Amino acid sequence: MFQTLYSYFWWERLWLPANLTWADLEDRDGRVYAKASDLYITIPLAFLFLIVRHLFETYVATPLAGLLNVKEKIRLKATPNAVLEKFYAATTKHPKQADVEMLSKKSGCTVRQVERWFRRRRNQDRPSLLKKFREASWRFTFYLIAFIAGMAVIVDVSTGLSCAWPRWTPSLHLTPLSLSLLPQKPWFYDLREVWKGYPIQSMLPSQYWYYMIELSFYWSLLFSIASDVKRKDFKEQIIHHVATIILISFSWFANYIRAGTLIMALHDSSDYLLESAKMFNYAGWRNTCNNIFIVFAAVFIVTRLVILPFWIMHCTVVYPLDLYPAFFGYYFFNFMMAVLQSLHIFWAYLIIRMAQKFITGKVVEDERSDREETDNSEEEEEVVKNGPLSNGHPVLNNNHRKND
């Protein structure tokens, strides 16, 4: 049965245009093609990323936080109370007024004491400022390096060089200066070149490593998402990571590598700006944070809402049909692109809301983060009059995709 499912899964008509088979993508004459087995290495690389991230956050991000004077707020701990703790863990972290009054009777505390207990208990569960800064620092570092690497991959490193290379030992040795002097790949400025000769398009070592590193990183984000800072778009982040992993993997299987490199570089172009804005936000550098955020918002909107749908997706939806009839892989790839684009629209909405607050002079907070609750008397009066505090306030976010 397993063999039958395996055969159906790798049926050529699912992945390749008509009249083409996997045999057409076998390595020959020194030309190397993408193989599904290449992606096995991304899982161990993902765990290696987690180790590197831990070392980076410990020995780089933490000292950097000290240099930027990232300070933790003093949090008052909730006094131990078995009744309230049980309700907090099993029922809800945000009790309604009726629940507060009921808990007041059960625990022997006053209504205000119960409300104060829940506020302090929620604050205890919120990630520390240092944790947020370390996470943003790691992502900033990766996205910046990935963007630079992606642009280097789009440089035509094949000019005057042999296409032959051992699968695990790339033979190209180029300095950053020599890369900058090489011409860009033709599909960077002429998107019809993305499909020229498809799918018989050989792979370069730079494309191989770019794919392996990007996919490994997104696997590591998915593995660590439960322990990372949770924001209001937690479910959207999971969808984003899964959709990205599927898109990268499928584009590798179906040899959509040229389109894939363009899409990954386009996404990385704004991500590092968001993470740097978050870092300065956590350090209390408000003006710097706001200025970077405005640049990020502009880059995000141009790349995700203009270039991606009207150039890249037009390239993946329209141009292939000039060469071959639509097949399952064509529909599947573009469906996943539509899922990703829907998330971009959702995040663009949050970004625009934050930009409006910035323009009108209001305090800019991450539309996806929770605001720390305090114990001042005015808040307690509001709780008594209007019920429990509403605890969600979006702010600059973190993850791919994104709005800190």
Side-chain angles (χ1 to χ4, degrees):
M1 181 177 177
F2 176 79
Q3 186 61 38
T4 302
L5 293 175
Y6 182 86
S7 300
Y8 275 119
F9 183 80
W10 291 112
W11 184 36
E12 285 95 340
R13 296 290 68 78
L14 291 178
W15 302 93
L16 300 174
N19 302 323
L20 287 169
T21 67
W22 294 117
D24 295 313
L25 297 178
E26 291 293 331
D27 299 345
R28 62 173 63 87
D29 300 326
R31 301 177 71 87
V32 177
Y33 297 91
K35 302 290 186 296
S37 58
D38 294 336
L39 301 188
Y40 293 156
I41 195 176
T42 61
I43 300 300
L45 280 179
F47 287 103
L48 179 61
F49 262 117
L50 293 176
I51 296 172
V52 173
R53 173 181 174 175
H54 174 73
L55 296 174
F56 177 88
E57 291 184 349
T58 302
Y59 297 106
V60 178
T62 300
L64 180 61
L67 291 174
L68 294 178
N69 203 26
V70 177
K71 293 182 178 179
E72 292 289 353
K73 293 181 179 179
I74 298 176
R75 294 179 177 178
L76 298 175
K77 292 186 178 181
T79 55
N81 189 304
V83 173
L84 300 182
E85 185 65 40
K86 182 178 179 180
F87 186 92
Y88 180 88
T91 307
T92 179
K93 299 178 181 180
H94 302 274
K96 298 179 180 178
Q97 192 63 29
D99 295 326
V100 171
E101 293 172 357
M102 178 269 293
L103 291 170
S104 174
K105 295 176 182 178
K106 281 188 175 182
S107 63
C109 301
T110 66
V111 169
R112 286 196 178 187
Q113 287 173 333
V114 173
E115 292 164 346
R116 183 185 297 114
W117 189 93
F118 273 92
R119 280 198 301 275
R120 292 181 177 180
R121 185 65 182 83
R122 286 192 294 266
N123 284 339
Q124 285 179 221
D125 283 350
R126 288 190 175 89
S128 67
L129 202 60
L130 178 59
K131 178 179 175 62
K132 293 180 180 179
F133 180 87
R134 287 164 43 154
E135 182 177 307
S137 299
W138 165 247
R139 297 191 184 197
F140 163 76
T141 302
F142 175 83
Y143 289 135
L144 179 60
I145 294 174
F147 175 62
I148 295 172
M151 295 310 297
V153 168
I154 296 174
V155 168
D156 190 359
V157 295
S158 62
T159 301
L161 296 170
S162 171
C163 291
W165 57 287
R167 175 167 298 278
W168 300 110
T169 55
S171 60
L172 304 180
H173 302 288
L174 300 176
T175 65
L177 178 59
S178 62
L179 279 174
S180 66
L181 296 176
L182 290 172
Q184 296 163 338
K185 288 187 173 68
W187 56 86
F188 181 71
Y189 50 84
D190 182 2
L191 292 179
R192 288 187 179 275
E193 290 288 329
V194 167
W195 305 107
K196 186 177 180 179
Y198 177 84
I200 314 300
Q201 297 172 338
S202 58
M203 172 182 56
L204 294 170
S206 57
Q207 294 171 325
Y208 170 83
W209 286 113
Y210 187 40
Y211 257 81
M212 296 305 107
I213 291 173
E214 284 275 356
L215 183 56
S216 301
F217 179 74
Y218 278 101
W219 273 120
S220 73
L221 289 184
L222 191 63
F223 294 157
S224 65
I225 197 168
S227 59
D228 286 345
V229 176
K230 291 184 176 62
R231 302 181 187 277
K232 289 185 175 181
D233 62 348
F234 178 74
K235 293 179 181 178
E236 288 82 0
Q237 285 294 333
I238 294 178
I239 294 172
H240 174 270
H241 295 340
V242 172
T244 301
I245 289 170
I246 291 174
L247 268 172
I248 294 176
S249 301
F250 175 82
S251 66
W252 185 263
F253 296 157
N255 211 25
Y256 277 38
I257 293 177
R258 293 181 180 179
T261 53
L262 292 176
I263 293 168
M264 289 188 293
L266 188 71
H267 280 73
D268 291 334
S269 65
S270 62
D271 291 348
Y272 70 92
L273 292 170
L274 172 65
E275 300 304 330
S276 62
K278 288 159 60 176
M279 290 170 62
F280 285 113
N281 179 49
Y282 301 144
W285 296 30
R286 301 298 180 187
N287 290 335
T288 304
C289 166
N290 291 340
N291 291 333
I292 294 176
F293 179 77
I294 292 301
V295 175
F296 157 74
V299 173
F300 183 95
I301 291 172
V302 169
T303 56
R304 310 293 179 91
L305 300 188
V306 179
I307 296 177
L308 185 66
F310 296 109
W311 272 270
I312 304 298
M313 291 184 68
H314 181 267
C315 167
T316 62
V317 171
V318 177
Y319 294 162
L321 299 180
D322 295 338
L323 302 175
Y324 53 79
F327 61 106
F328 171 80
Y330 164 86
Y331 291 116
F332 179 77
F333 182 83
N334 287 296
F335 169 76
M336 295 307 298
M337 287 290 290
V339 171
L340 207 57
Q341 186 59 26
S342 299
L343 292 172
H344 295 158
I345 294 172
F346 167 74
W347 281 315
Y349 166 72
L350 298 182
I351 291 171
I352 292 171
R353 282 181 56 177
M354 293 167 59
Q356 287 177 334
K357 293 179 181 179
F358 175 79
I359 293 170
T360 57
K362 296 180 180 178
V363 176
V364 178
E365 293 185 328
D366 192 339
E367 287 291 337
R368 306 177 314 169
S369 296
D370 285 338
R371 182 175 56 185
E372 190 101 355
E373 296 172 286
T374 61
D375 281 335
N376 63 49
S377 58
E378 289 183 6
E379 278 190 348
E380 294 181 30
E381 287 295 331
E382 285 297 313
V383 173
V384 174
K385 293 177 183 178
N386 303 322
L389 289 174
S390 131
N391 176 40
H393 240 31
V395 196
L396 295 178
N397 167 43
N398 188 2
N399 303 274
H400 251 281
R401 304 231 187 253
K402 341 190 149 213
N403 323 26
D404 179 6

